[in-house]
Amino acid sequence: MEPTFVLNRDMFDSLMEDQHMKVYQLADAMGVTPSTVYRIMNGDTRVSSYSMAKMVKAFGLDDMGMTKLFPIAPVLHGSNEQKEITK
């Protein structure tokens, strides 16, 4: 497994609250279905660069905000398996 971008859920929740936004509003601003947003929120899917860009734009973030909202999850290499570490 390669390192991957993960959603910083604390920052996401804070942005949603600060902007008085609901999942359906975010999905509409991103041009995706609410289920896509829920899958990203729950970590059920890898976040594509396309979805990341749409979310960053919907929240009005700059490049620094993007790296905080979507940090890279390091991967530990074990003897027989690899484990993803997220904060």
Side-chain angles (χ1 to χ4, degrees):
M1 182 181 288
E2 296 180 19
T4 185
F5 291 97
V6 294
L7 177 68
N8 176 334
R9 187 60 193 263
D10 290 337
M11 183 174 179
F12 175 85
D13 291 342
S14 179
L15 287 165
M16 292 289 283
E17 184 177 323
D18 292 347
Q19 296 187 21
H20 307 288
M21 196 178 288
K22 303 289 185 196
V23 170
Y24 285 85
Q25 293 168 313
L26 177 60
D28 186 53
M30 291 174 62
V32 299
T33 63
S35 62
T36 298
V37 176
Y38 280 117
R39 283 194 306 272
I40 293 169
M41 289 171 57
N42 296 328
D44 294 340
T45 187
R46 286 186 180 231
V47 184
S48 71
S49 58
Y50 187 65
S51 292
M52 286 177 19
K54 287 180 166 190
M55 188 176 288
V56 166
K57 183 177 179 183
F59 282 131
L61 299 176
D62 58 12
D63 290 343
M64 184 59 73
M66 184 189 92
T67 59
K68 290 179 181 176
L69 183 60
F70 291 104
I72 296 174
V75 175
L76 294 179
H77 297 280
S79 58
N80 291 330
E81 62 182 45
Q82 299 173 354
K83 296 182 181 178
E84 197 171 308
I85 305 298
T86 59
K87 292 184 180 184

